[in-house]
Amino acid sequence: MNQDPLIIAGRTFRSRLWVGTGKYQNFEETRNAIEASGADVVTVAVRRVNITDNKSENLLDYLDPKKYTILPNTAGCYTVEDAVRYSRLARAAGVSDLVKLEVIGDERTLFPDTAGLIEAAKILIAEGFVVLPYTNDDPIVAKKLVDIGCPAVMPLAAPIGSGLGIRNPYNLKIILETVNVPVIVDAGVGTASDAALAMEYGADAVLMNTAIAGARDPLMMATAMRFAVDAGRLAFKAGRIPRKLYATASSPIEGML
Amino acid sequence: MKIVVNGEQHQAEEPLTVTLLLQKLNLRSEQVAVEINLKILERGDFPTWNLHDGDKVEILSFMGGGSPA
């Protein structure tokens, strides 16, 4: 798939599967699952370091920065102020201006607060950040995010960690027709077919965490997701046949007795 | 002097730069962000930035996370 790279804000990505680094048993499992997924973008959270346990390892020791683009998120931020603060801290902790912006609206659904998201995105874009917004499956909000300068949008498939798959394929299709930037389906994917479907609709990439980390065998699921994203992408580019109500014979009638 | 690091009280000898504090805590400066009294420091300022009595220091790093909040 190298001849089909994903390009966002001048950056070229090899893989159309992006993965999170949360919920794994340990850093070794994290590293192995990411490797199996083939992802070259990995999301991380920004949190206080453990200063009481001096021997505690750092996730970055397990992720080669030459191999992966580290994409910090603002998960857990419920206000514009917090999301902006965490984005700035992420930039200070890392080396790039990339941020996966989340402004969460509600604890139960973890749905984005899209009004807050747009406000925070405006502030961060003015400060030179490359803002990749985690947003709802709302085409109007997606359009607004692009209009204010987001170089990609990341609509959810379903609530974070829910594994429900794409709950609103029609909205996703409208988003894909509405915006002229890459669309990365983020959150809610449950299994390989969900990821393949997102790519078949024309999504440019899929980001997931729980679907892999929460699987009984995360490494095997990471591999399944890699194949699913590649298969979905190829099927999208190949162009599926139209759906028809009645049969069309595949074998010729000529030559029959 | 007394400083607060990640919410915990610390007794420290002056002078204490941010770089020295990170060394004492066994942290690598290239893996952390440091915020002092709500101001985020540039990494280049770590070696020369002196901490003062009453400073509230936050040291953050990248942790496992993806979609979960």
Side-chain angles (χ1 to χ4, degrees):
Chain A
M1 301 288 283
N2 276 351
Q3 56 274 61
D4 181 28
L6 171 62
I7 300 169
I8 298 173
R11 291 168 168 82
T12 302
F13 303 104
R14 177 176 38 78
S15 172
R16 290 175 181 273
L17 172 58
W18 294 9
V19 296
T21 53
K23 294 187 178 175
Y24 287 100
Q25 303 294 330
N26 50 53
F27 288 148
E28 208 162 332
E29 190 185 64
T30 313
R31 180 184 56 200
N32 293 342
I34 291 168
E35 212 162 290
S37 77
D40 58 351
V41 178
V42 296
T43 65
V44 297
V46 183
R47 294 290 182 267
R48 275 177 169 170
V49 298
N50 183 348
I51 53 167
T52 45
D53 178 9
N54 279 346
K55 286 186 289 296
S56 70
E57 291 177 297
N58 192 296
L59 174 65
L60 292 184
D61 296 330
Y62 284 79
L63 298 173
D64 183 356
K66 285 190 217 76
K67 226 166 132 187
Y68 300 108
T69 298
I70 306 291
L71 176 59
N73 65 30
T74 61
C77 293
Y78 285 81
T79 63
V80 172
E81 292 71 30
D82 271 355
V84 168
R85 184 185 183 194
Y86 275 79
S87 298
R88 290 170 179 157
L89 285 164
R91 177 154 73 177
V95 284
S96 87
D97 297 322
L98 279 173
V99 65
K100 183 195 156 193
L101 183 62
E102 300 183 26
V103 182
I104 302 298
D106 166 67
E107 255 178 66
R108 258 184 99 197
T109 61
L110 298 179
F111 279 144
D113 167 358
T114 50
L117 181 67
I118 291 168
E119 199 184 327
K122 274 185 191 163
I123 296 168
L124 293 168
I125 289 165
E127 293 181 14
F129 280 88
V130 176
V131 175
L132 309 181
Y134 162 67
T135 182
N136 221 325
D137 51 8
D138 179 337
I140 307 302
V141 173
K143 173 83 166 51
K144 284 187 179 181
L145 288 163
V146 174
D147 287 347
I148 61 170
C150 294
V153 288
M154 310 183 76
L156 55 80
I160 291 169
S162 70
L164 287 173
I166 303 166
R167 297 203 312 179
N168 200 337
Y170 302 103
N171 271 31
L172 178 59
K173 286 179 186 179
I174 294 174
I175 291 173
L176 287 161
E177 286 190 7
T178 305
V179 302
N180 54 359
V181 299
V183 174
I184 301 155
V185 170
D186 179 14
V189 165
T191 188
S193 52
D194 296 335
L197 207 54
M199 297 305 291
E200 285 175 25
Y201 289 146
D204 294 278
V206 179
L207 169 56
M208 65 181 74
N209 187 353
T210 311
I212 294 174
R216 195 173 58 238
D217 186 334
L219 263 63
M220 202 182 285
M221 187 57 90
T223 308
M225 291 299 187
R226 191 182 80 213
F227 290 147
V229 167
D230 282 354
R233 176 66 182 173
L234 287 172
F236 168 70
K237 290 184 78 180
R240 60 153 299 147
I241 59 161
R243 288 180 170 85
K244 282 181 279 187
L245 198 54
Y246 294 99
T248 315
S250 305
S251 310
I253 305 290
E254 282 172 36
M256 284 192 74
L257 295 176
Chain B
M1 64 172 171
K2 275 185 187 148
I3 55 173
V4 179
V5 183
N6 286 7
E8 287 175 26
Q9 289 277 352
H10 278 256
Q11 189 71 42
E13 296 290 316
E14 281 184 277
L16 180 64
T17 64
V18 170
T19 295
L20 208 58
L21 173 68
L22 293 176
Q23 274 170 17
K24 283 181 183 210
L25 294 170
N26 228 352
L27 295 169
R28 282 158 58 188
S29 62
E30 69 273 18
Q31 290 183 338
V32 298
V34 177
E35 188 189 70
I36 297 169
N37 306 326
L38 298 178
K39 181 192 153 50
I40 298 169
L41 291 196
E42 300 276 337
R43 196 168 279 141
D45 290 336
F46 289 0
T48 51
W49 193 281
N50 278 302
L51 294 164
H52 300 288
D53 189 54
D55 277 351
K56 285 195 172 63
V57 183
E58 295 288 353
I59 307 171
L60 298 98
S61 186
F62 293 143
M63 304 279 161
S67 290

